[in-house]
Amino acid sequence: MIDSLLRYNTNAPRYTSYPPANLFQEAKSKEQVQKLWLDSNVLLPETLSFYFHIPFCVKRCLFCGCTSDTLHDEFFRNAYFEALHQEMNEKLSWINKERKISQIHFGGGTPTSVPLVELEKILCHLKENFEFQENAEVAIEINPATLTGEMLKNLAQMGFNRVSYGVQDFDLEILKNIGRDSSLIAIPELLSLTRELGFKGINIDLVYGLPGQTEEGFAKTIEKAIEASSDRIALFSYAHVPWMRPEQKKLEAFAIPEAKTKMALFLNAREAFLKAGYLAVGMDHFVKPSDALANASLSGMLHRNFQGYCTRETTGQVYAFGASAISQFDNAYVQNIHNSAEYVKRIQNGQMTEIRAQELSHEQRVLRNVIERLMCNNRLKLSDNEKVVVSEGWKRLLALESEGLLNQLNENEIVATELGSLVIRYLAMQLDPLMQTQKREGVFSQTI
Ligand SMILES: C[S@@+](CC[C@H](N)C(=O)[O-])C[C@H]1O[C@@H](n2cnc3c(N)ncnc32)[C@H](O)[C@@H]1O
Ligand code: SF4
């Protein structure tokens, strides 16, 4: 199995968006951005998803691929939140007030590395403008290295009901290699407390392929993850992208698992999670059968965006604020400038913060939907209209049947084999006309 999979190890997009974010077009003007936001009021689904990017961390981990910095000076932090509220003041006025909030996500960075009152002020700002739908999800990403029980209680009181912990590995040696501190509260106790406080869909992130990881050592991490019994486990492939994150070069001093070992780490973990009763969901998630994502996956209602997987009922149009944040509408993406100091400066000077605005053509929307369905469900049934749009890509995809990556069920439907589902990015790439000419090395991470 591993040797077969290695044949498909190539640089490819993760397809969190279509087109991939690093290929978005430049934003033209503030008027263009405003029009896209105004137009989004009539798109479906009509509910509101909000994303807030908190780009601060207590310290930066060497392996990290996220947009964050450790500029923790209070003066700058205050200026950042002031800018964020200013961005909200302007843009919330573009959204129809009758629409309701179904989802809020605070990501980063580490949103809990700032005084929690800053998060509360953002929630209050939203509440002044919009009503919440019943069972709205309010989620936060947390590095447990700096989280106390008191902080978690505060978050619950503020209305947070979903949490994702970056665990990465239970082995302290591995955490040391990647420049990370261990959890302040032992993970099993932390998860119990999180459950007691009423959080649902509790997630832990693990990463395979980190420097120093071995099959033996990672098996122990997986055992501990199963014992800790979170509702969801995200098992990310370490993305080594030193051309984007130069500090990752430092990790090359350690033994970074090669593709073959990396694949073994993933397959062993997958087997253990499935044996323990978790269901495989999407590309890299494992969830308990009782979790909402399990149901969504089984009924073809799984959705994926920059915040991760969610159900189709939860997601609305995504309105994103802060440095690097990407708004995701049914017909466009709009992204703010990455650098947080530059973001603040532009807001203070009344300049536009949006650097990219990708309007989607009919063809791109079809491709986005088709690729998302394939990546979420490991199968794809095309309507006749979709088939017209993806005709060349469909032919490229069908050609993989002879390689054992998929089975064609009828002229409009395929299902990935087990092998194919493990290299689903490779399958998705066949549908993508951009990838037939685009340079991929040094632009996208490796599929394994
Ligand atoms: C914004 S971070 C999570 C929140 C928090 N800052 C933390 O570290 O726990 C999101 C997740 O992305 C994953 N991640 C970060 N850098 C990565 C990389 N280079 N390759 C794969 N996954 C990565 C990690 O699992 C991390 O938990
Ligand atoms: S992994 Fe999390 S804590 Fe570490 S630098 Fe990245 S965002 Fe910050």
Side-chain angles (χ1 to χ4, degrees):
M1 170 79 115
I2 290 184
D3 286 333
S4 309
L5 286 169
L6 290 177
R7 271 195 276 145
Y8 305 102
N9 188 20
T10 182
N11 294 76
R14 284 179 59 77
Y15 288 117
T16 325
S17 64
Y18 189 83
N22 43 1
L23 304 183
F24 287 167
Q25 285 170 343
E26 260 180 50
K28 293 182 194 130
S29 62
K30 192 80 201 173
E31 289 69 36
Q32 179 201 20
V33 172
Q34 182 173 5
K35 183 170 184 324
L36 289 173
W37 278 60
L38 290 171
D39 288 351
S40 73
N41 281 310
V42 294
L43 298 175
L44 294 176
E46 68 167 315
T47 56
L48 305 168
S49 291
F50 284 102
Y51 174 72
F52 297 97
H53 192 75
I54 314 298
F56 305 110
C57 294
V58 174
K59 67 173 189 182
R60 244 196 98 78
C61 314
L62 294 174
F63 82 108
C64 182
C66 308
T67 305
S68 74
D69 55 44
T70 50
L71 195 59
H72 230 64
D73 146 76
E74 198 182 331
F75 183 76
F76 178 73
R77 207 178 55 214
N78 288 342
Y80 183 81
F81 284 107
E82 225 166 89
L84 195 90
H85 283 283
Q86 229 171 299
E87 191 188 8
M88 288 174 78
N89 279 339
E90 180 182 33
K91 293 181 173 170
L92 294 186
S93 71
W94 298 342
I95 305 174
N96 182 342
K97 296 290 177 292
E98 267 145 45
R99 299 170 65 198
K100 289 192 177 164
I101 300 175
S102 59
Q103 194 179 36
I104 303 173
H105 191 108
F106 285 77
T110 305
T112 49
S113 68
V114 301
L116 299 186
V117 67
E118 296 296 352
L119 312 184
E120 194 168 24
K121 283 192 215 155
I122 294 173
L123 288 175
C124 287
H125 198 153
L126 280 183
K127 281 181 198 156
E128 283 160 15
N129 283 273
F130 302 101
E131 278 180 32
F132 284 62
Q133 184 177 276
E134 214 184 312
N135 301 326
E137 290 184 3
V138 188
I140 184 161
E141 295 172 10
I142 297 180
N143 178 349
T146 52
L147 182 77
T148 63
E150 207 48 45
M151 287 163 76
L152 194 59
K153 279 181 207 151
N154 281 345
L155 291 170
Q157 273 163 9
M158 281 158 59
F160 284 93
N161 54 26
R162 296 286 184 288
V163 63
S164 173
Y165 294 117
V167 174
Q168 327 307 355
D169 198 310
F170 280 84
D171 186 332
L172 299 186
E173 246 342 271
I174 305 298
L175 293 186
K176 204 166 128 210
N177 290 352
I178 58 171
R180 236 178 120 86
D181 295 328
S182 60
S183 182
L184 209 55
I185 307 174
I187 297 294
E189 281 94 87
L190 178 60
L191 293 191
S192 301
L193 178 62
T194 313
R195 270 188 288 272
E196 277 165 30
L197 289 169
F199 287 86
K200 300 268 181 298
I202 301 165
N203 178 76
I204 61 170
D205 291 340
L206 297 176
V207 177
Y208 67 95
L210 292 174
Q213 280 178 340
T214 59
E215 285 191 54
E216 220 185 2
F218 201 54
K220 289 191 192 135
T221 277
I222 298 307
E223 215 175 284
K224 288 189 179 159
I226 292 170
E227 273 168 26
S229 191
S230 57
D231 302 307
R232 304 173 183 176
I233 300 166
L235 181 58
F236 296 127
S237 163
Y238 168 52
H240 191 60
V241 285
W243 59 87
M244 279 164 66
R245 302 278 173 238
E247 61 275 33
Q248 286 186 342
K249 281 208 185 86
K250 292 193 186 143
L251 298 184
E252 289 168 10
F254 298 94
I256 300 184
E258 289 170 5
K260 197 167 183 169
T261 313
K262 211 174 165 187
M263 204 64 235
L265 294 175
F266 178 78
L267 290 177
N268 294 345
R270 180 174 176 268
E271 195 184 331
F273 290 141
L274 297 180
K275 207 164 142 208
Y278 281 91
L279 299 179
V281 160
M283 200 166 54
D284 44 20
H285 278 53
F286 297 88
V287 304
K288 286 188 176 171
S290 53
D291 189 82
L293 290 187
N295 213 356
S297 169
L298 296 172
S299 56
M301 295 296 277
L302 193 66
H303 175 68
R304 179 166 170 252
N305 60 23
F306 285 105
Q307 285 68 63
Y309 289 99
C310 63
T311 69
R312 282 198 172 274
E313 288 105 48
T314 331
T315 190
Q317 309 299 313
V318 181
Y319 299 90
F321 296 84
S324 81
I326 303 180
S327 297
Q328 303 154 70
F329 306 146
D330 187 46
N331 60 2
Y333 298 97
V334 183
Q335 180 169 32
N336 273 340
I337 189 154
H338 291 81
N339 183 288
S340 50
E342 188 60 30
Y343 165 81
V344 171
K345 201 166 103 196
R346 288 193 184 196
I347 296 255
Q348 286 173 343
N349 294 340
Q351 293 166 310
M352 65 187 275
T353 53
E354 302 81 4
I355 50 164
R356 292 176 183 154
Q358 176 70 47
E359 298 185 33
L360 300 180
S361 65
H362 170 68
E363 185 192 357
Q364 286 169 321
R365 282 167 84 172
V366 169
L367 281 163
R368 193 229 356 234
N369 291 344
V370 162
I371 289 176
E372 189 199 349
R373 291 206 312 269
L374 174 64
M375 303 265 303
C376 281
N377 306 319
N378 290 321
R379 60 191 301 144
L380 181 61
K381 184 177 182 182
L382 292 181
S383 68
D384 290 337
N385 286 343
E386 288 171 336
K387 207 167 158 192
V388 173
V389 173
V390 297
S391 65
E392 288 306 309
W394 185 242
K395 283 184 212 151
R396 283 190 293 269
L397 191 61
L398 293 186
L400 299 182
E401 186 170 29
S402 62
E403 299 182 33
L405 294 181
L406 57 92
N407 291 314
Q408 186 171 4
L409 302 178
N410 56 53
E411 60 174 15
N412 281 2
E413 190 172 9
I414 58 114
V415 59
T417 58
E418 190 184 9
L419 188 66
S421 67
L422 292 170
V423 287
I424 201 74
R425 282 161 74 183
Y426 183 78
L427 268 64
M429 209 171 75
Q430 309 309 315
L431 293 166
D432 182 358
L434 288 174
M435 289 307 121
Q436 310 318 308
T437 50
Q438 165 72 37
K439 176 177 175 282
R440 289 181 283 118
E441 222 166 287
V443 179
F444 301 109
S445 63
Q446 294 242 299
T447 49
I448 293 175

